[in-house]
């Protein structure tokens, strides 16, 4: 494993592998959105939500018990996300998709929608999207009616309490995106795991699936994770710095700079 710390310079061998890859798959976690000011999932919550543990709020049981509290938590997170802007890490992944037409799959655990706002077209949202609301009875995405100021709002169709369109602990991930994510992990030449602690399955299994299928594994994270020792390249740093360097190196612009020369 090549370990690159400090200000990230990419090993020549990694640049060669990036440039030779026919298909690249990327898994992102909340660390990729951290530089947009969206707290990572396991970072301490702030303000009035400080005393709540996300693991206790992001569950069907919490919603059954106190739908108002859970809806207000998600409203607070939505406002955070709406104020956030995509960062250079998001932009780099959108550029990778544009340049690797057909040879690139972006898989995210993030529910903030920042990849799409950065221009990524095809995003596998394994844990849903906080900006969408779902009717749990009709199982359809619903826009709450403008004049419904109840908390939570009710489905205009059947009157049920709406919920955020996200996957809660204990719930199944959307089958389609999950199958496509595993297919991408098995079929890629190079897999990048960026900004995730790698603690939550099944998403955390994807990099190992890629390794088993012979892919080169790159991790981008300022900290060690359970994946680090398995990675061919552990880039110890911020996604907002590493991803633009990877993209510049892959497509040749300022190649010397991305190699830290
Ligand atoms: N660049 C890259 N990585 C970063 C950055 C950064 N600027 N800042 C923090 N990180 C790393 C942290 O070191 C940590 O390993 O991002 C990771 C964030 O880990 P978590 O907070 O556990 O978030 P994530 O891995 O996305 O959680 C996965 O778990 O709780 C569920 O559904 C929730 O989608 C979430 C899933």
């Amino acid at each position: 494993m090549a370990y690159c710390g400090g200000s990230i310079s990419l090993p020549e061998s990694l640049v060669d592998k990036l440039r030779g890859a026919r298909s690249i798959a990327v898994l992102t976690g909340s660390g990729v959105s951290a530089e947009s000011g969206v707290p990572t999932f396991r970072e301490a919550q702030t303000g009035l939500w400080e005393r709540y543990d996300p693991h206790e709020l992001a569950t069907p049981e919490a919603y059954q018990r106190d739908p108002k509290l859970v809806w207000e938590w998600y409203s607070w997170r939505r406002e955070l996300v709406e104020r956030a802007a995509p960062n250079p890490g998001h932009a780099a992944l959108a550029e990778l998709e544009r340049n690797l037409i057909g040879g690139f799959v972006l898989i995210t655990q993030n529910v903030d929608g920042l990849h799409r706002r950065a221009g990524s077209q095809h995003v596998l949202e394994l844990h849903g999207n906080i900006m969408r609301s779902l009717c749990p009875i009709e199982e359809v995405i619903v826009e709450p009616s403008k004049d419904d100021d109840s908390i939570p709002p009710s489905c205009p169709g059947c009157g049920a309490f709406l919920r955020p369109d996200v996957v809660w602990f204990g719930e199944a991930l959307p089958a389609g995106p999950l199958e496509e994510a595993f297919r991408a992990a098995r079929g890629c030449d190079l897999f990048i795991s960026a900004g995730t602690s790698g603690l939550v399955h099944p998403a955390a299994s994807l990099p190992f699936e890629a390794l088993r299928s012979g892919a080169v594994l790159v991790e981008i994270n300022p900290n060690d994770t359970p994946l680090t020792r398995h990675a061919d390249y552990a880039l110890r740093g911020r996604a907002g710095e590493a991803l633009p360097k990877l993209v510049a190196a892959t497509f040749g612009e300022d190649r010397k700079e991305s190699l830290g020369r």
Side-chain angles (χ1 to χ4, degrees):
M1 174 188 80
Y3 181 102
C4 318
S7 169
I8 295 172
S9 60
L10 306 179
E12 180 81 31
S13 60
L14 173 55
V15 176
D16 291 342
K17 290 187 174 74
L18 281 161
R19 304 186 92 187
R22 289 186 328 282
S23 63
I24 295 179
V26 178
L27 171 67
T28 62
S30 59
V32 169
S33 294
E35 292 161 75
S36 295
V38 179
T40 64
F41 203 85
R42 284 166 184 77
E43 232 168 7
Q45 302 223 91
T46 57
L48 63 99
W49 298 103
E50 207 164 356
R51 65 180 185 279
Y52 291 97
D53 173 355
H55 294 80
E56 271 143 43
L57 290 173
T59 66
E61 295 74 21
Y63 195 64
Q64 292 304 322
R65 197 173 47 248
D66 192 341
K68 184 172 181 297
L69 176 74
V70 173
W71 184 269
E72 284 175 332
W73 180 51
Y74 277 92
S75 299
W76 172 71
R77 290 176 66 196
R78 276 184 177 165
E79 282 162 28
L80 262 184
V81 165
E82 280 164 346
R83 286 200 301 271
N87 65 60
H90 295 108
L93 291 173
E95 189 183 346
L96 208 48
E97 179 184 54
R98 283 191 294 275
N99 287 285
L100 283 176
I101 299 156
F104 177 78
V105 177
L106 176 55
I107 307 156
T108 190
Q109 301 170 90
N110 300 339
V111 296
D112 56 33
L114 287 175
H115 285 303
R116 287 187 203 284
R117 283 173 53 193
S120 292
Q121 299 295 309
H122 182 53
V123 184
L124 298 177
E125 293 177 320
L126 297 185
H127 294 169
N129 186 316
I130 199 172
M131 305 313 284
R132 294 191 300 257
S133 302
L134 179 76
C135 170
I137 305 301
E138 297 169 317
E139 293 189 348
V140 289
I141 301 300
V142 174
E143 198 48 49
S145 43
K146 294 272 177 282
D147 52 7
D148 179 354
D149 52 10
S150 53
I151 301 176
S154 306
C155 169
C158 72
F161 276 154
L162 295 181
R163 56 166 282 179
D165 182 29
V166 295
V167 178
W168 279 330
F169 289 105
E171 292 186 322
L173 275 62
L178 187 59
E179 278 157 30
E180 191 177 342
F182 272 95
R183 219 173 16 254
R186 292 185 188 114
C188 67
D189 304 320
L190 189 140
F191 192 98
I192 300 171
S193 175
T196 179
S197 57
L199 297 174
V200 174
H201 290 267
S205 314
L206 289 165
F208 293 99
E209 200 64 29
L211 268 181
R212 267 195 292 277
S213 308
V216 172
L217 180 59
V218 181
E219 182 182 48
I220 300 171
N221 197 316
N223 303 309
D224 268 1
T225 73
L227 187 66
T228 305
R229 63 191 177 85
H230 301 279
D232 297 295
Y233 299 93
L235 305 183
R236 181 66 69 253
R238 298 178 298 101
E241 178 193 358
L243 286 168
K245 284 197 169 179
L246 283 175
V247 173
T250 307
F251 300 105
E253 302 94 19
D254 50 38
R255 177 182 166 101
K256 287 206 180 337
E257 188 196 305
S258 63
L259 295 176
R261 289 196 186 133

